[in-house]
Amino acid sequence: MIRRLRIRITAVITAVMTVLVICVVGGIFLFMNISENRETDTAIDIAMDIDKMPDLADDAKHEPPKDNGEAPADGGDGGIMFDSRFSIVPHGEKNFFRNWIAVETDSDGEIISVSYSSRFSQLEDESNLYSAVKKIAGTNTRGYVSFDGVSYRYSSRQTDSGSKVVLMDRSSQLATMRRLIVTVSVIGAAAVVVVFVISIFLSAWVAKPIAEAWRKEKEFFADASHELKTPLTVIGANVDVITSNPDSTVAEQERWFGYIKSETEKMSKLITQMLYLAREDSREDPLQMTEFNFSEVTEGACLTFEALAFENNKLLETDICPDIYVVGDKERICRLVNILLDNAVKHSEENGRITVKLEKIKNKLCLTVSNTGAQIPKEELDRLFDRFYRTDKSRNGDTGGFGLGLAIAHKIAEQHGGTLSAESDSSGITSFVFRLRVL
């Protein structure tokens, strides 16, 4: 499942990047095409209206080019240049320095004259030009036409004597657009490849917490099934013993009924803890925040467990700073303290020592519950707060509980914005430290 998830994440990221690159390339092409059309249409309009410039027209009539093809001596800015075909180009018009052909026709569509821009060489065969012009002459339209392997943008306009068609060569512009599109496409393709490689690592990073949650969920169901199966098996075995001796009295089979009751109580406790965690996860029970004396809560819990520790030949020592007030859910905080003390009593060694220390450090309280016993490996410390996790691999419920207590305590600490951590040193002292902001 995780592998499929990683593939999907990689595919989605790569697909989004590919679509983005296509949109960028398409947008660049569209923008350039519109820009090129506007520039071309401006140049076409200048060429179309060249005969409406009286000064230029008079100069063209009265100052023919010299034999060496040079411009007239008075041709400065705003003047004219002449080529061998008497085409004229205003020096002040940047867009006009492009290859164009201007064709005039009479009312019957017959070609009257053909003029070329100063940079345009005359076509060797003008038959294709004439055919194209006859199709578009007199239409008052703009568009595209191709002949002799060259693409032109044209404008056709009706005149008093017939019509005039101007065709602007688009070869250099199209070549520039093609080069830019190819360059952008190559860069975009390279970016897609780079993103694909990055997305592989990114998917692994994104899937890591999901994989961990999936692992914990599978472990949770496996452990819960095991914890429920064990007492049910014991109950079933004792019921079989009871039913195999139907003539025996209840008093005679009190031992078996006692086992059944004990396992039933364990199941009830387990189910209660599981339901509590489920409610906390779903946040069905909101925190009842009140101000209370945390020191008194800790002292009360220690008094309760002092007798239990004495019965188990264990020493409970306390060092509690008085009058530390906090704001929180008093019932849940009491449960957290009881869980830590219960855990210390259960896991301390025979004739061991349990220490409870409460102090105020700056603006936080620090509750440390320590017990002597076997050292817990460092790699297992963080897992102590996992549900159903126990360092006792035999899963002995009589001594180790169900492995839900510390998970509940950790959840309560998180709900109050505090922290709960575990420490274990080489001397065999294991400590659980709860920190919470105080008033």
Side-chain angles (χ1 to χ4, degrees):
M1 186 187 94
I2 300 300
R3 184 173 179 272
R4 291 198 299 270
L5 178 62
R6 289 187 59 187
I7 292 175
R8 289 179 181 177
I9 292 174
T10 302
V12 169
I13 295 176
T14 305
V16 170
M17 185 62 186
T18 302
V19 172
L20 182 62
V21 169
I22 292 174
C23 291
V24 170
V25 173
I28 291 175
F29 177 82
L30 182 62
F31 174 78
M32 289 189 61
N33 189 56
I34 294 174
S35 178
E36 192 273 337
N37 284 343
R38 289 178 178 174
E39 183 180 346
T40 302
D41 288 342
T42 301
I44 289 176
D45 291 339
I46 295 173
M48 184 72 73
D49 297 332
I50 196 67
D51 56 345
K52 296 181 180 180
M53 301 178 184
D55 295 339
L56 298 180
D58 292 342
D59 289 340
K61 291 178 181 179
H62 297 99
E63 292 191 58
K66 300 177 182 180
D67 293 338
N68 58 8
E70 296 179 357
D74 60 347
D77 289 342
I80 57 172
M81 292 193 310
F82 293 83
D83 64 6
S84 58
R85 297 187 57 81
F86 296 93
S87 61
I88 50 182
V89 180
H91 286 295
E93 298 290 346
K94 177 182 177 182
N95 289 330
F96 204 65
F97 286 96
R98 297 177 61 175
N99 296 333
W100 53 267
I101 309 173
V103 182
E104 295 187 29
T105 65
D106 58 19
S107 57
D108 296 328
E110 296 298 326
I111 305 297
I112 299 176
S113 65
V114 178
S115 58
Y116 295 81
S117 64
S118 60
R119 297 184 179 185
F120 208 137
S121 301
Q122 181 180 358
L123 299 176
E124 296 180 359
D125 183 5
E126 295 181 334
S127 58
N128 293 328
L129 169 63
Y130 296 161
S131 299
V133 169
K134 288 181 179 181
K135 292 179 181 179
I136 59 180
T139 57
N140 285 327
T141 58
R142 295 180 187 268
Y144 302 96
V145 64
S146 299
F147 56 86
D148 296 337
V150 179
S151 175
Y152 298 88
R153 181 165 177 80
Y154 72 85
S155 175
S156 176
R157 183 185 301 176
Q158 291 183 339
T159 62
D160 295 336
S161 59
S163 65
K164 183 176 183 178
V165 178
V166 175
L167 301 98
M168 191 70 65
D169 185 359
R170 304 173 65 232
S171 300
S172 61
Q173 286 71 30
L174 292 178
T176 302
M177 290 176 63
R178 281 193 293 268
R179 287 194 300 271
L180 181 59
I181 294 300
V182 169
T183 302
V184 174
S185 299
V186 170
I187 295 175
V192 170
V193 173
V194 172
V195 169
F196 173 75
V197 175
I198 294 175
S199 65
I200 293 176
F201 295 98
L202 183 63
S203 65
W205 177 73
V206 171
K208 187 176 181 179
I210 300 175
E212 181 66 16
W214 177 252
R215 180 190 64 79
K216 289 183 178 181
E217 182 178 353
K218 290 196 296 184
E219 288 183 357
F220 175 82
F221 283 111
D223 294 337
S225 300
H226 177 83
E227 297 291 354
L228 291 172
K229 181 180 178 181
T230 301
L232 288 173
T233 302
V234 174
I235 291 172
N238 284 278
V239 170
D240 290 339
V241 173
I242 293 173
T243 56
S244 65
N245 298 285
D247 297 331
S248 300
T249 63
V250 173
E252 293 173 341
Q253 303 195 65
E254 183 179 0
R255 176 184 177 185
W256 316 117
F257 284 114
Y259 290 153
I260 292 175
K261 182 180 179 181
S262 175
E263 295 302 321
T264 302
E265 290 174 350
K266 288 181 182 179
M267 285 183 60
S268 177
K269 182 179 179 182
L270 172 62
I271 292 173
T272 299
Q273 291 181 344
M274 292 175 63
L275 289 175
Y276 180 85
L277 281 172
R279 287 196 304 269
E280 295 302 310
D281 289 340
S282 62
R283 299 181 180 179
E284 291 181 1
D285 298 331
L287 298 178
Q288 304 297 324
M289 306 298 284
T290 58
E291 180 182 344
F292 63 93
N293 192 326
F294 188 86
S295 300
E296 292 181 356
V297 169
T298 305
E299 288 177 351
C302 289
L303 289 175
T304 302
F305 280 91
E306 187 175 11
L308 181 62
F310 179 79
E311 290 178 2
N312 289 274
N313 299 317
K314 299 175 182 180
L315 178 63
L316 177 61
E317 299 177 343
T318 61
D319 181 10
I320 300 175
C321 178
D323 298 327
I324 296 180
Y325 286 85
V326 297
V327 173
D329 190 313
K330 185 176 181 179
E331 181 181 348
R332 285 179 168 87
I333 293 295
C334 289
R335 185 171 190 139
L336 181 149
V337 176
N338 288 332
I339 288 172
L340 296 182
L341 286 168
D342 179 66
N343 182 78
V345 171
K346 286 181 178 179
H347 293 89
S348 57
E349 61 186 358
E350 187 70 22
N351 299 316
R353 185 176 74 257
I354 302 164
T355 303
V356 179
K357 183 177 182 179
L358 176 62
E359 57 185 335
K360 183 178 179 181
I361 302 176
K362 294 184 178 180
N363 62 338
K364 290 186 177 181
L365 67 82
C366 180
L367 173 65
T368 304
V369 180
S370 306
N371 64 271
T372 56
Q375 181 184 6
I376 300 176
K378 186 176 180 179
E379 60 272 12
E380 292 189 15
L381 289 176
D382 290 337
R383 296 202 62 194
L384 291 176
F385 303 106
D386 291 350
R387 299 175 185 185
F388 291 109
Y389 183 80
R390 294 205 295 260
T391 56
D392 177 16
K393 303 304 180 183
S394 65
R395 306 184 69 84
N396 185 359
D398 293 330
T399 59
F402 302 107
L404 290 177
L406 290 177
I408 293 174
H410 192 265
K411 187 72 175 179
I412 293 172
E414 285 185 342
Q415 289 175 331
H416 287 79
T419 61
L420 180 60
S421 58
E423 304 169 356
S424 185
D425 57 29
S426 57
S427 63
I429 297 178
T430 299
S431 302
F432 289 88
V433 182
F434 171 58
R435 295 181 175 88
L436 181 67
R437 186 178 296 275
V438 298
L439 294 176

